[in-house]
Amino acid sequence: MKTFKKITLFVLVAISGFAISCSEDDDAPVSSYVCETCVDTPDALAVNDNSVKGVYKGIVVGSSGTISINIQNGSSTITATMVLDGETAVLTSEVEVIDGQSYIAPFTGTFNGGDVSITFSVGLGGTTPTIVTSSIPGHPNAVFQIFKETSTALIEAFEGTYSKPGETGVFNIVLSSALGGFSGIAKSDQTNEINDVEGDYNANGELIDEDGEVVANITGDVLYGTFVDGNNDQVTVNGNRTL
């Protein structure tokens, strides 16, 4: 299955020359935010842990949102729920799962009054889940990251932002405490440059680069952090769990 690579957060916004070191001021912000719709235990059933069937969760950037795909996880239905900018689209697929084969299928529905379609692909045993193509009204260049959830590894998604002098952007991540990693997407508001984000996530709720520096923290359903980049600019990241 697709797993979280443990590499540096240096790629956060490579176009801006980020070379990360941790700031001394990482005090948690005062926030009462709680994701009322988020679960604390996996939705995925153990019988599907090594199957194409099961649950897949991830993030969308191009605006900002999340996606969850359910392939016959305890039922015969195949559906996807995508949320962009607070608007929800429920998508369905008619492509059947065939035991012993990989799976690729279009999921279709409506969004913002128009037709929406995404094509989802996953290998044997639930490996390398990918959104191959997408056609979403108002979001022509959406980028996805999606992972397979198992009965022992809850997948969580956070939507947020980053800011530094002269630059702001979207900062969405997916993480798993059981797998000890996080992955995500950063997109600059000014240049539309998109970069992947990957690193370690430890039991203290810290997002860590390969040098062992803390670049952000998770407290409850809130993400926050401040660090200094390679240009000696202070960068701040903030976000909330939404899936």
Side-chain angles (χ1 to χ4, degrees), residues 46-232:
V47 68
N48 296 324
D49 280 353
N50 297 300
S51 169
V52 163
K53 298 178 182 180
V55 175
Y56 302 84
K57 296 178 180 178
I59 51 173
V60 189
V61 169
S63 195
S64 178
T66 62
I67 187 167
S68 177
I69 295 176
N70 183 314
I71 301 178
Q72 297 180 344
N73 186 63
S75 73
S76 61
T77 61
I78 301 176
T79 62
T81 301
M82 182 176 64
V83 181
L84 282 174
D85 297 336
E87 298 293 327
T88 300
V90 177
L91 314 176
T92 59
S93 179
E94 302 299 324
V95 178
E96 296 182 0
V97 175
I98 300 175
D99 290 340
Q101 294 187 15
S102 57
Y103 184 77
I104 183 167
F107 286 73
T108 58
T110 59
F111 181 77
N112 284 341
D115 294 335
V116 57
S117 176
I118 64 170
T119 301
F120 174 70
S121 171
V122 62
L124 291 174
T127 57
T128 321
T130 307
I131 303 299
V132 179
T133 62
S134 67
S135 176
I136 307 169
H139 304 274
N141 299 306
V143 180
F144 297 78
Q145 280 195 4
I146 189 165
F147 291 84
K148 181 175 174 64
E149 183 173 272
T150 69
S151 62
T152 58
L154 174 69
I155 300 297
E156 304 176 43
F158 287 72
E159 294 180 68
T161 60
Y162 74 86
S163 63
K164 59 177 289 186
E167 184 175 341
T168 59
V170 176
F171 179 68
N172 290 357
I173 69 163
V174 189
L175 63 82
S176 172
S177 59
L179 298 176
F182 74 95
S183 183
I185 305 166
K187 179 181 180 181
S188 169
D189 294 332
Q190 286 70 43
T191 66
N192 290 323
E193 181 75 17
I194 293 176
N195 290 272
D196 292 334
V197 181
E198 292 182 292
D200 295 337
Y201 176 62
N202 70 16
N204 296 321
E206 298 169 325
L207 307 183
I208 306 171
D209 70 11
E210 66 177 357
D211 296 320
E213 300 289 345
V214 178
V215 297
N217 296 267
I218 303 289
T219 297
D221 292 337
V222 178
L223 175 150
Y224 59 95
T226 302
F227 55 89
V228 176
D229 70 10
N231 295 321
N232 207 34

Side-chain angles (χ1 to χ4, degrees), residues 9-14 16-20 162 164 167 227 229-230 235:
L9 195 64
F10 178 80
V11 292
L12 174 59
V13 182
S16 300
F18 279 23
I20 296 170
Y162 74 86
K164 59 177 289 186
E167 184 175 341
F227 55 89
D229 70 10
V235 182

